[in-house]
């Protein structure tokens, strides 16, 4: 009633197998299978007399096939292998030890030399320790096993070689009730044979949304890997600086070490800019920094002059042109002029009766400015004379 069905109709009727229940004269009835949710299957099942044909079910074709598969699995699951002497010997096949080949005179034809008796019993389930660990015995046994397997195998079989499709489980083994047409969790358009324009657009949109989500997950994963590698690199670099001395202060006694040092310096200065190129590169970096700050603050770079707030400190009629600290009216150099701040303090190191007034962060009590910091003596690595 809501769409035009394109499935071929049954022979002698005006409806297909999916809508044959609308014909009251047809010998079909609704399938008696019930889903886990209590909903009844809407497919058609053929009518028959249960007394005359007790082996037939009241299910549709799909659920009859599932029922038969379930019975087959249950019957195969109760199968138990009979324990015989051959089965027990097969379990002990890893202890196989073939007797060494008997010596045959040279005057015997080569055809008899290639004949091996694969029928007679020559298997010894248990062998001694010396036979197992003897190199000659192992090599001889391996060669003889290969020859026995070559003669025992039948290369004239007509069976095809095993492939992935033939070795994998059959498609019907994965069929479940959730994959039926009436399942609530399944896409209704999965088994459709013909798609309208709206349905095709909807399916394509869903695939694109899923693909977009996968790309975003991959980008987030790559970002995480990049941050993790950068963190490890910085940690290793800091550890190297704290534990090892500078490469410039290390002793270079041999000509090979001096040559390697010169080569390292050449690599370090290869990409360094000099002369006019360095001046232009510095101007370019400054121009990019101003353009970025203008975009962040929402100001135009064409307004002229600096667009960030300047320090309010004035000395001798000259005003400081440095940028102020966040939520403050002074720059880093004149932050001590603000009497209400508590994040910075003076260095306080006295030399020649003069106390240093450079501002430093008030984090540690014994911290000083850059000019009065105590530099540790560089470590020198020298080789002993007897080495």
């Amino acid at each position: 009633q809501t769409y035009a069905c394109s499935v071929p109709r049954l022979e002698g009727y005006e409806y297909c197998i999916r809508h044959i229940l609308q014909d009251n004269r047809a010998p079909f009835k609704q399938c008696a299978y019930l889903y886990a949710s209590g909903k009844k299957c809407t497919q058609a099942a053929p009518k028959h007399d249960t007394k005359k044909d007790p082996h037939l079910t009241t299910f549709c074709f799909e659920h009859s096939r599932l029922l038969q598969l379930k019975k087959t699995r249950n019957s195969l699951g109760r199968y138990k292998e009979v324990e015989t002497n051959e089965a027990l010997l097969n379990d002990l096949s890893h202890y196989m030890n073939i007797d060494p080949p008997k010596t045959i005179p040279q005057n015997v034809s080569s055809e008899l030399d290639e004949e091996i008796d694969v029928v007679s019993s020559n298997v010894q389930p248990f062998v001694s320790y010396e036979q197992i660990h003897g190199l000659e015995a192992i090599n001889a046994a391996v060669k003889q096993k290969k020859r026995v397997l070559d003669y025992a195998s039948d290369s004239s079989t007509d069976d095809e070689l095993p492939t992935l499709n033939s070795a994998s489980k059959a498609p019907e083994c994965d069929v479940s009730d959730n994959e039926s047409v009436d399942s609530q969790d399944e896409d209704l358009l999965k088994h459709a044979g013909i798609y309208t324009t709206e349905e095709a657009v909807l399916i394509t949109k869903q695939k694109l949304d899923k693909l977009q989500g996968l790309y975003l997950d991959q980008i987030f994963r790559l970002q995480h890997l990049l941050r993790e590698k950068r963190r490890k690199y910085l940690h290793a670099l800091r550890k190297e600086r704290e534990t090892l001395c500078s490469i410039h202060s290390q002793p270079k006694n041999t000509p090979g070490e001096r040559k390697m040092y010169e080569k390292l310096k050449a690599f370090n200065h290869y990409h360094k800019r000099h002369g006019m190129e360095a001046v232009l590169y510095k101007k370019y970096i400054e121009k990019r920094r101003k353009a970025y700050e203008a975009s962040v603050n929402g100001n135009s770079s064409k307004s002229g002059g600096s667009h960030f707030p300047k320090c309010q400190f004035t000395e001798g009629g000259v005003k400081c042109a440095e940028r102020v600290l966040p939520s403050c009216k002074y720059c880093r150099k004149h932050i001590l002029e603000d009497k209400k701040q508590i994040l910075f303090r003076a260095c306080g190191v006295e030399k020649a009766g003069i106390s240093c007034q450079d501002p430093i962060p008030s984090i540690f009590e014994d911290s000083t400015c850059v000019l009065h910091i105590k530099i540790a003596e560089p470590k020198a690595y020298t080789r002993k004379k007897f080495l």
Side-chain angles (χ1 to χ4, degrees):
Q1 297 178 0
T2 57
Y3 67 96
C5 179
S6 59
V7 182
R9 62 182 182 179
L10 296 177
E11 186 178 357
Y13 301 96
E14 297 181 356
Y15 297 93
C16 63
I17 187 62
R18 295 176 58 88
H19 305 100
I20 194 62
L21 295 179
Q22 298 184 15
D23 191 355
N24 299 328
R25 298 174 299 173
F28 290 91
K29 62 180 180 179
Q30 189 175 359
C31 179
Y33 185 83
L34 291 177
Y35 294 103
S37 59
K39 188 177 179 181
K40 195 173 182 180
C41 178
T42 58
Q43 298 296 329
K47 293 181 180 180
H48 61 274
D49 191 358
T50 56
K51 295 182 180 180
K52 295 182 180 180
D53 300 324
H55 60 280
L56 298 179
T57 61
T58 58
F59 296 154
C60 60
F61 173 77
E62 185 68 22
H63 292 114
S64 299
R65 186 174 63 88
L66 293 177
L67 183 62
Q68 185 63 28
L69 285 176
K70 187 175 181 180
K71 291 181 180 179
T72 305
R73 293 171 189 170
N74 294 336
S75 61
L76 292 177
R78 293 192 299 268
Y79 174 74
K80 186 177 182 181
E81 184 179 0
V82 180
E83 293 184 357
T84 59
N85 295 334
E86 290 77 7
L88 295 176
L89 285 177
N90 188 27
D91 295 338
L92 299 175
S93 60
H94 55 281
Y95 294 106
M96 179 181 293
N97 183 26
I98 307 298
D99 294 334
K102 299 179 181 180
T103 58
I104 302 177
Q106 297 181 359
N107 54 2
V108 182
S109 61
S110 59
E111 296 180 357
L112 297 178
D113 188 20
E114 295 296 334
E115 292 182 358
I116 296 179
D117 186 9
V118 297
V119 180
S120 61
S121 176
N122 53 2
V123 177
Q124 298 178 3
F126 301 97
V127 295
S128 61
Y129 180 84
E130 290 79 6
Q131 291 177 345
I132 294 178
H133 294 81
L135 183 59
E136 297 180 358
I138 292 176
N139 294 334
V142 170
K143 292 180 181 179
Q144 196 68 10
K145 289 176 186 177
K146 291 182 179 179
R147 296 183 66 185
V148 169
L149 292 177
D150 292 340
Y151 277 87
S153 62
D154 185 11
S155 60
S156 62
T157 178
D158 296 331
D159 297 336
E160 297 180 356
L161 295 176
T163 59
L164 180 61
N165 296 330
S166 61
S168 61
K169 296 190 299 182
E172 59 269 9
C173 293
D174 295 333
V175 177
S176 62
D177 297 339
N178 294 331
E179 296 180 356
S180 62
V181 180
D182 300 317
S183 178
Q184 298 178 0
D185 301 333
E186 189 180 354
D187 186 9
L188 299 178
L189 302 177
K190 182 178 180 180
H191 301 285
I194 301 176
Y195 297 96
T196 62
T197 306
E198 292 77 7
E199 292 173 351
V201 171
L202 178 61
I203 294 174
T204 307
K205 182 180 179 182
Q206 292 176 355
K207 291 182 179 180
L208 290 178
D209 293 341
K210 185 176 180 180
L211 184 61
Q212 183 182 8
L214 295 176
Y215 276 126
L216 290 177
D217 294 342
Q218 179 68 5
I219 290 175
F220 293 152
R221 174 181 172 275
L222 294 177
Q223 289 179 354
H224 172 72
L225 292 178
L226 182 61
R227 295 193 189 99
E228 187 67 17
K229 291 183 179 180
R230 184 176 182 275
R231 183 187 66 80
K232 292 181 180 179
Y233 167 73
L234 295 177
H235 178 73
L237 186 62
R238 184 175 180 180
K239 183 178 180 181
E240 180 182 356
R241 290 179 179 176
E242 292 178 355
T243 55
L244 303 177
C245 65
S246 176
I247 192 173
H248 304 287
S249 59
Q250 292 182 6
K252 294 170 278 294
N253 300 326
T254 61
E257 294 179 353
R258 290 192 292 269
K259 185 176 181 180
M260 291 178 61
Y261 177 69
E262 295 295 335
K263 188 176 181 180
L264 181 63
K265 288 178 62 178
F267 285 157
N268 190 22
H269 293 283
Y270 178 75
H271 294 287
K272 192 174 182 180
R273 296 170 176 83
H274 301 277
M276 183 58 65
E277 184 182 1
V279 176
L280 295 176
Y281 182 73
K282 186 176 181 180
K283 291 183 179 180
Y284 169 72
I285 295 298
E286 186 69 19
K287 184 177 179 180
R288 288 192 59 182
R289 185 183 63 82
K290 291 182 179 180
Y292 173 74
E293 292 176 352
S295 62
V296 171
N297 298 331
N299 300 327
S300 177
S301 59
K302 299 180 181 180
S303 57
S306 60
H307 51 271
F308 52 84
K310 296 182 180 180
C311 179
Q312 294 185 1
F313 180 77
T314 305
E315 185 178 4
V318 180
K319 189 175 181 180
C320 179
E322 296 294 332
R323 187 174 183 176
V324 299
L325 295 176
S327 303
C328 188
K329 298 181 181 180
Y330 297 92
C331 61
R332 174 68 181 272
K333 184 179 180 180
H334 305 107
I335 189 61
L336 297 181
E337 299 296 331
D338 189 357
K339 304 302 180 183
K340 296 182 180 181
Q341 62 85 23
I342 57 175
L343 300 179
F344 296 88
R345 62 177 179 85
C347 177
V349 177
E350 294 185 2
K351 285 190 177 181
I354 301 175
S355 179
C356 180
Q357 298 298 325
D358 289 344
I360 58 174
S362 181
I363 300 176
F364 304 103
E365 295 181 358
D366 55 346
S367 59
T368 59
C369 61
V370 180
L371 299 177
H372 299 106
I373 192 172
K374 295 181 180 180
I375 302 176
E377 297 181 359
K379 298 180 181 180
Y381 298 91
T382 58
R383 302 180 63 182
K384 295 182 180 181
K385 294 183 180 180
F386 66 89
L387 295 177

